[in-house]
Amino acid sequence: MTFDTDRLVFGPDDVDLSRSPLAGHLDAETYVLGAFNPGLTRLPNGNLAMFVRIAEALRKPIFDGHVHAIRWEDGAYVLDAWPLELVDTADPRKFLIHGGRWRVMALTSLSWILPVELTPDGLEVVAVHYDKAITPQAGFQCYGVEDARVSKVDGRWLMTTCSVSPERHCTTLYSSDNGLDYVLEDIVLDHQNKDMLIFEGKVRGKFWAQTRPLGDLYFAYPPGSEWRAGPSINLATSPDALHWKPHREPGIRPHSATVATARMGGGTPPILTEDGWLTLWHGVEPKEIVGIYRTYWSILDRDDPTKVVRTQHPPLLEANPELTRPLEDKMYVRDVVFTTGIADAGDHYVVASGEADLACRITHIPKSAFAG
């Protein structure tokens, strides 16, 4: 589908690295690999706020026969050197380390979250809040903080992020009383359970969330099943948004009739509409290293979010090469749109996405697009 208002609003060239949390720590030049996957919320003043993942990478990661990674350690940022003969650098976002039974990797960048305040329509930047950046604070975040999603529940803002480290690849929770200043609460989901989206409202008195556990092994559905085995969007409930119990019924699962959603995960925090909980999510079609990422939507029952009330198989959003054409010299992946935020704007929704793991895309989607 195409929409009249659909543009990039923030990208690598808009980031001032002299104000980066890494500035002055490394004896090496860095650059912005991507400014993307923005969480989105509306502030008390009516403006929107994006929480942009800044992937800050070494300009020359390979030197002296080693590839280097950035790591946070006790309030400072340091470089780790890996001999080239021990690694595979085919994917520009990371390198794989040879020699073990398990798939082990390190990143070519370290991510932190930059709050960017926008006009109420989401189309112009009002302020970039470097002083409110969300950065590593603990060992379980030593390789960075990624992919913020923001929900407002009972007057309090809740932000989930993915925290990366050798200890675990986990989901962490932050909270705020004003939508801009966030405090780290704790780890809320353990290793490789990510893409956590807290519903913007309680269901039967409990917090609900979508989650997406990953693993190397999945069990087959019976022959002829409408479902495909693999990553799916699960559900969890909590009395306090800190302690989460997996829900016994499945959430959104990949259909066997298509490979376009062979892998899937949550996109935007579910918001309540007249018809139920509207959720935007991503499906990944296998292709080369990264795959083709598209955005889809479903409406879930307001009292039982395990039930899908309505959905469509054609994608809502696809990657748009015309948007990134001015940034062609910075492109390193293609065919990727990763939707991460949504805000009500009357007759339409303001939808925020990461485009090509590079920049922030804002799309105005009429509410009629989700009508029955």
Side-chain angles (χ1 to χ4, degrees):
M1 298 179 72
T2 59
F3 301 98
D4 292 340
T5 302
D6 191 13
R7 67 180 72 167
L8 300 186
V9 297
F10 195 82
D13 292 337
D14 298 309
V15 181
D16 181 359
L17 285 186
S18 71
R19 303 181 69 182
S20 160
L22 280 66
H25 286 264
L26 303 174
D27 187 21
E29 182 184 359
T30 62
Y31 73 105
V32 179
L33 179 67
F36 60 113
N37 294 3
L40 187 72
T41 193
R42 195 168 295 282
L43 299 173
N45 66 4
N47 287 342
L48 291 173
M50 293 192 304
F51 295 86
V52 182
R53 174 182 171 184
I54 308 300
E56 187 168 348
L58 295 169
R59 178 70 69 183
K60 296 180 179 179
I62 298 176
F63 57 89
D64 294 337
H66 292 72
V67 61
H68 295 77
I70 306 170
R71 179 171 52 86
W72 178 92
E73 182 178 65
D74 297 329
Y77 296 89
V78 299
L79 294 183
D80 294 330
W82 295 88
L84 286 176
E85 63 269 18
L86 298 183
V87 302
D88 177 352
T89 58
D91 188 328
R93 304 172 301 171
K94 59 197 176 189
F95 55 90
L96 295 175
I97 299 166
H98 299 310
R101 178 179 177 184
W102 312 111
R103 196 162 166 264
V104 177
M105 68 181 67
L107 301 175
T108 59
S109 64
L110 184 143
S111 291
W112 48 281
I113 305 298
L114 179 61
V116 177
E117 190 169 347
L118 304 174
T119 50
D121 60 7
L123 300 179
E124 303 291 337
V125 173
V126 173
V128 182
H129 296 285
Y130 290 92
D131 58 321
K132 302 180 189 301
I134 295 169
T135 62
Q137 299 178 48
F140 56 80
Q141 299 177 316
C142 71
Y143 285 144
V145 184
E146 304 176 351
D147 297 350
R149 268 59 167 249
V150 184
S151 307
K152 188 180 180 185
V153 186
D154 293 345
R156 182 172 172 239
W157 283 265
L158 301 172
M159 174 190 291
T160 62
T161 65
C162 179
S163 292
V164 187
S165 79
E167 298 173 9
R168 46 171 49 116
H169 189 194
C170 62
T171 296
T172 36
L173 178 71
Y174 295 77
S175 68
S176 173
D177 293 326
N178 61 16
L180 269 180
D181 298 280
Y182 284 83
V183 174
L184 175 62
E185 297 289 347
D186 212 335
I187 295 172
V188 288
L189 297 179
D190 211 335
H191 186 59
Q192 294 225 292
N193 198 350
K194 47 187 285 196
D195 286 337
M196 183 186 193
L197 311 169
I198 298 176
F199 284 55
E200 285 214 323
K202 294 179 180 177
V203 180
R204 301 191 299 275
K206 291 184 178 181
F207 292 92
W208 279 66
Q210 294 176 319
T211 67
R212 205 281 309 277
L214 281 179
D216 291 329
L217 173 67
Y218 297 90
F219 288 95
Y221 284 99
S225 172
E226 65 177 306
W227 308 116
R228 178 188 298 273
S232 60
I233 300 172
N234 292 357
L235 294 162
T237 61
S238 172
D240 56 8
L242 272 175
H243 304 87
W244 291 89
K245 176 189 177 300
H247 193 65
R248 63 170 60 189
E249 299 296 331
I252 300 174
R253 292 175 281 174
H255 284 268
S256 61
T258 176
V259 297
T261 56
R263 173 172 166 168
M264 58 169 48
T268 63
I271 59 174
L272 191 59
T273 72
E274 292 182 358
D275 298 326
W277 297 98
L278 172 64
T279 175
L280 309 188
W281 48 275
H282 64 265
V284 187
E285 179 179 345
K287 179 188 176 185
E288 299 171 348
I289 295 175
V290 177
I292 302 173
Y293 280 71
R294 303 179 178 95
T295 299
Y296 299 84
W297 65 271
S298 300
I299 293 179
L300 312 178
D301 186 271
R302 66 169 54 228
D303 297 315
D304 183 0
T306 67
K307 298 178 180 178
V308 176
V309 174
R310 188 161 63 248
T311 193
Q312 284 188 353
H313 291 298
L316 180 70
L317 288 175
E318 298 184 79
N320 185 342
E322 289 302 313
L323 295 180
T324 52
R325 195 171 301 283
L327 302 173
E328 185 63 33
D329 61 320
K330 297 179 174 63
M331 295 284 286
Y332 61 98
V333 298
R334 300 180 188 275
D335 299 320
V336 173
V337 60
F338 194 84
T339 298
T340 43
I342 189 169
D344 196 320
D347 63 351
H348 66 277
Y349 294 109
V350 179
V351 173
S353 307
E355 185 76 6
D357 281 4
L358 186 65
C360 297
R361 174 179 174 180
I362 291 291
T363 312
H364 289 185
I365 300 182
K367 292 183 176 179
S368 59
F370 310 105

